[in-house]
Amino acid sequence: MENNRGQWGSNFGFIMAAVGSAVGLGNIWGFPYKCGATGGGAFLLVYLILAAVVGVTVMLGELAIGRKTGRGAVGAYASLAKKYSWVGYMGVASGFLIVGFYSVLGGMVLRYTLGFLINLFGGTGFGVDGFFGSWIANMPGMVGFYAIFMLINIVIVMGGVSGGIEKFSKIAMPCLAAIMVIVIVFVACQPGAGEGYKFLFVPDFGVLASDFFNVLKTAAGQMFFSLSLGMGCMITYGSYLAKKEDLASNSIIIPVADTIVALMAGMAVMPACAAYGLEYGAGPGLLFNSMQTVFLQGMGGTIGNIMGFLFYFLVLIAAITSSISLLEVCCAFLIDKRIDKGQEPARKKMTIIMAVIAFIVGLPTALDGLGTNVAGGAWMNNPAVMFNLPVMAATADWLDFYDFLAEGVLMPLGAMIMSILIGWVFGTKMIAEECEASGKPFKAYKYFDVCFKYIVPVIMAIVLYAQVTSFIG
Ligand code: PFF
């Protein structure tokens, strides 16, 4: 190996890590609700087409750029053409913005997991009714669990590519799948669960005719966030992949696995809400409020605590394997810089530096209590109150503000620019050559050529427009 950046031990390990990055909170609290609320089976059809055409293409582009250059987001663009380094910087910026709030949420998931565990051992895991509302205003609690979750990330990422990220993902992801199956089967046995499947799957093809643009933008936005695309995460993970591994098939396996887990999450969450008559929703309300009520009050008793623990534990795994990939994007940036200067990577030190910066950047998302504000007992106000801005999705809390900058602007822009650069500047031949480096012919060249040049830029422009208008509309 020509440098000491690190490398995946096996293709299986790489796939577990990449699927681990893709499978996250987005699958569990975003996909099920959006699917059900935007046409069910009809949404699913649009989602599958987008994932197959746009998702696979951007995935291939990122993996190929990463492996070809052997660098993370910034280094990869810099080595292709110095003047495009800024595209890589956009990715690292997104990483910083997301890893903070993602870890605040991860900390909450950890708190809920422990809550059910304490209940199981006869303690009182959750103090009051309406725990969610009181917890998000509990500043020492929110910040403390945020710090613990960040520490878990640090320990894993410090372990290195194969010794930390891969090792953890190879155990965690099969565990996640197994627990998911248990929860799905158990939920399926609850009376009244059927309504949940109907909500999720029964196609409403009427919406395709009446509101096609809405279905398209919702599906496309969900798809690229869920696949961890547009911020150099897959560039970074691809940079640790051996030349002999098949890029094209990996670019298909990851989206397929991610979509299967999203559907499985839907089959756990929506029928559970249906069985206990809880409102369907999306985001923190669904994950922390409705689902907690399902286990605590709906199922109740020991079985409720067991299932609650298992459910939150699987969400915890999903959150960790995603947030380590976000932190790795930031760390790889520093490590590459050091290697280019002929220094040792000093991974442990670089991980701590990046995690501390990310922690500080993310702190406001914990301190405003997800928009609870000082008036509601939090220690900081949301951007709307702080800067006297109109109240809209992007200013209602710091989490959504960061999410707006990253998921709303930087990521779709990043994916769009990458596709245009590959299609029109670097040339799609570069992708073909990188794929063929594994010794297999790249059969779908013509198809990907059209995708990179025309289809992906157009769809990503739609996503960009849709995200910006929904955040500031
Ligand atoms: N794919 C993750 C999810 O669905 O929750 C989120 C994510 C992780 C986005 C890593 C981007 C990324 F680089």
Side-chain angles (χ1 to χ4, degrees), residues 111-123 125-126 305 308-309:
R111 172 64 185 85
Y112 277 65
T113 312
L114 290 178
F116 279 102
L117 196 63
I118 293 168
N119 277 358
L120 262 178
F121 284 98
F126 302 102
N305 285 326
F309 168 72

Side-chain angles (χ1 to χ4, degrees), residues 116-463:
F116 279 102
L117 196 63
I118 293 168
N119 277 358
L120 262 178
F121 284 98
T124 310
F126 302 102
V128 286
D129 256 6
F131 178 77
F132 176 66
S134 70
W135 181 256
I136 56 177
N138 174 346
M139 291 296 104
M142 284 286 279
V143 175
F145 274 88
Y146 172 35
I148 297 172
F149 188 86
M150 193 60 100
L151 215 57
I152 298 174
N153 282 302
I154 293 177
V155 171
I156 298 171
V157 173
M158 265 191 344
V161 178
S162 65
I165 299 173
E166 179 175 359
K167 205 168 165 189
F168 181 78
S169 309
K170 267 189 346 199
I171 301 169
M173 293 312 289
C175 271
L176 178 146
I179 299 174
M180 196 88 135
V181 171
I182 297 173
V183 176
I184 291 172
V185 171
F186 190 82
V187 165
C189 301
Q190 307 303 306
E195 284 306 311
Y197 304 115
K198 276 193 202 152
F199 172 77
L200 196 59
F201 292 123
V202 170
D204 175 1
F205 286 111
V207 298
L208 288 191
S210 65
D211 209 3
F212 180 72
F213 188 69
N214 185 36
V215 180
L216 182 72
K217 70 180 197 193
T218 311
Q222 171 67 25
M223 181 272 303
F224 93 96
F225 183 76
S226 185
L227 289 176
S228 305
L229 297 173
M231 52 155 286
C233 179
M234 292 300 165
I235 296 183
T236 310
Y237 272 21
S239 74
Y240 305 129
L241 193 61
K243 285 282 182 203
K244 67 176 188 334
E245 310 302 353
D246 188 345
L247 284 188
S249 65
N250 280 338
S251 320
I252 296 170
I253 293 171
I254 300 163
V256 168
D258 181 67
T259 307
I260 291 175
V261 178
L263 287 170
M264 288 170 78
M267 287 162 64
V269 172
M270 290 301 153
C273 289
Y276 298 105
L278 291 162
E279 284 247 344
Y280 302 130
L286 173 68
L287 184 56
F288 296 113
N289 229 352
S290 304
M291 288 311 280
Q292 188 196 28
T293 312
V294 161
F295 299 113
L296 224 44
Q297 281 157 25
M299 288 182 192
T302 308
I303 194 69
N305 285 326
I306 294 176
M307 296 314 288
F309 168 72
L310 285 178
F311 176 76
Y312 283 102
F313 186 64
L314 88 81
V315 181
L316 184 64
I317 293 176
I320 294 174
T321 50
S322 295
S323 60
I324 53 178
S325 73
L326 291 156
L327 184 57
E328 180 61 23
V329 170
C330 304
C331 293
F333 161 62
L334 279 191
I335 291 175
D336 286 348
K337 279 226 172 309
R338 291 178 60 86
I339 289 176
D340 288 341
K341 282 193 228 148
Q343 296 166 327
E344 279 298 300
R347 170 172 280 271
K348 290 195 168 69
K349 201 165 134 196
M350 295 308 115
T351 306
I352 294 173
I353 293 175
M354 283 317 209
V356 168
I357 301 175
F359 183 82
I360 295 167
V361 173
L363 212 46
T365 63
L367 290 181
D368 78 347
L370 305 188
T372 307
N373 286 353
V374 176
W379 289 353
M380 212 172 132
N381 284 320
N382 63 13
V385 174
M386 229 167 140
F387 304 118
N388 211 1
L389 297 168
V391 180
M392 49 193 157
T395 60
D397 50 67
W398 280 92
L399 189 155
D400 276 301
F401 178 66
Y402 284 173
D403 195 30
F404 162 63
L405 295 178
E407 192 185 345
V409 181
L410 293 173
M411 291 166 71
L413 205 56
M416 185 172 88
I417 295 170
M418 182 199 76
S419 190
I420 294 172
L421 287 178
I422 291 177
W424 302 97
V425 180
F426 307 140
T428 45
K429 282 265 178 310
M430 177 186 86
I431 304 293
E433 278 163 22
E434 191 51 40
C435 288
E436 281 164 358
S438 63
K440 296 213 180 77
F442 182 54
K443 292 197 201 101
Y445 174 73
K446 272 259 151 295
Y447 166 78
F448 282 111
D449 189 53
V450 173
C451 288
F452 278 118
K453 283 191 173 127
Y454 308 101
I455 299 177
V456 175
V458 170
I459 298 283
M460 289 326 291
I462 292 175
V463 174

